[in-house]
Every structure is written in structure tokens, then in C-alpha cells.
Amino acid sequence: MLLPIGTDRPLARPTLVTIALIIANVAVYSTGQAIGRVDPERIKALGDLLTLDPDNFRWWGLFSYAFLHGGLWHLLGNMVFLWVFGPNVEDRFGRIWFLVFYLVGGAAAGGFHAMFNPSPVIGASGAIAAVTGAYLVLFPRTMIKTLFLIFFSLINVPATWFIGARIAWDLYSAGGGWSGNVATGAHLAGYGFGVAVGPDVIVTTSGV
């Protein structure tokens, strides 16, 4: 298993929005854990209100679901990918447009899931897939610094290979019906959104 830990691409400006999104996700999770210990029924009601549930659709769920996580590892896994891929995309898009892109990408991924899957969905992976999809078309030759967990060694992998492998795995899982409780449809929709919209954002924000 390869875990991304960084890239070799320098930044032209400090990263702010990516860090703010990570803080927001961690804060929501931590707050939910704290409330759940005191009042489990209340946190369940809040979770039901903010989850994207196709059978009980609320428009704000398209955005709020991306800040909810089912467990610590779910949260940490998503935040690692956001930390690695978010800064370069934020740097290229500009802070405001990156935030808009992230939120709309998450909504697009969640909306696609809701159209074809009746299961409720939570997690930032759809929005982060949009970011990584944009990364794929914007920085295909960037090297991704990864930790090879089996041998606990560091290797550099081209962004095209690393992200392409993630997309291929989601396609394989979705096609074989082996997704389990992973919303692979939302992942794939996020990748598609990032690949399709990313270049247009560059044109929009050129020179900003």
C-alpha cells in the first residue's frame, strides 16, 4: 500500500484554504465525538440532518455530508490526501476559487451518488477526488512522495500513475460490485468533475 505524504512541486503562496478545510473537518469530527459521549441521541439527530440521504434529500446535505466522517481512520485518510494534493491546486486556482471548486466538487460527487445509490453517504472523499482529478490534469509530471507501508520505505511516483491507479481501483471495485460501504460512485464523479472543470478554472483565474 502506498500512502502519499507530499509532492516535489513548490508553492508560490502560503496554503490557507486547504489548512482551513482540514481544521473544519477535524473540528466537526471532534465536536461530534464530544457531543456523542454526553448525548448520543442528539448527535444521531444531527448526523441524520447533515448526512446526504437520497431517501430523505435535503439540499444542504450536498455540502454538509463532506464534513462528516464515520471514524478516526476515515477522517485521517481523507485529510492526508487533502493535505498532499490540496495546496498545489489551491496555489494554482487562487484561494477563493479553490474553496468554491472544493465545495461544488463535493456537491457534484454527492449528487451523482444520490442519483444512483439509495444509501446515505458521508465523508470528504468526493470533494478530495475532485481535487485529485484536477491535480491529474494540472500537474501530471509532478512526483508524489509516498510511503510504501509494506517495507516502510519512501518512493517517488508520478502523479499520473498514482492518481490513475486510484481511479482504476475505484472503477474495478464499482464494476465488480466490491465497493462495500465505500462510495466509489462519488469518488468517480469527483474525479470526473476535477478533470473536466479544473482546466476551466485555470482560464477563469488566469493572472489572479
Side-chain angles (χ1 to χ4, degrees), residues 96-181:
I96 298 301
W97 281 108
F98 175 71
L99 178 60
V100 172
F101 174 85
Y102 180 91
L103 294 175
V104 175
F112 183 88
H113 171 90
M115 285 191 293
F116 297 101
N117 192 321
S119 301
V121 63
I122 59 173
S125 55
I128 296 168
V131 174
T132 54
Y135 202 102
L136 178 64
V137 295
L138 297 176
F139 314 112
R141 297 181 181 178
T142 297
M143 300 301 290
I144 308 302
K145 301 173 184 177
T146 62
L147 177 63
F148 191 19
L149 295 178
I150 295 177
F151 298 105
F152 207 72
S153 58
L154 295 176
I155 61 174
N156 290 324
V157 181
T160 302
W161 293 6
F162 186 88
I163 299 172
R166 299 287 302 184
I167 296 173
W169 175 253
D170 280 330
L171 283 169
Y172 180 73
S173 298
W178 301 309
S179 300
N181 63 350

Side-chain angles (χ1 to χ4, degrees), residues 39-55:
D39 192 346
E41 291 300 319
R42 183 181 180 187
I43 198 60
K44 182 180 183 305
L46 284 172
D48 291 342
L49 184 65
L50 299 176
T51 295
L52 177 58
D53 186 349
D55 290 334

Side-chain angles (χ1 to χ4, degrees), residues 57-130:
F57 182 79
R58 302 178 179 92
W59 68 265
W60 61 81
L62 290 169
F63 301 95
S64 59
Y65 88 99
F67 292 89
L68 305 178
H69 290 85
L72 182 59
W73 289 113
H74 186 203
L75 172 70
L76 291 178
N78 278 337
M79 294 305 100
V80 166
F81 274 75
L82 181 56
W83 172 252
V84 171
F85 295 104
N88 287 141
V89 180
E90 176 185 339
D91 196 37
R92 180 65 67 89
F93 285 2
R95 291 167 183 148
I96 298 301
W97 281 108
F98 175 71
L99 178 60
V100 172
F101 174 85
Y102 180 91
L103 294 175
V104 175
F112 183 88
H113 171 90
M115 285 191 293
F116 297 101
N117 192 321
S119 301
V121 63
I122 59 173
S125 55
I128 296 168

Side-chain angles (χ1 to χ4, degrees), residues 10-19 83 86-88 90-91 94-95:
L11 298 172
R13 70 184 98 187
T15 300
L16 295 181
V17 174
T18 299
I19 294 174
W83 172 252
N88 287 141
E90 176 185 339
D91 196 37
R95 291 167 183 148

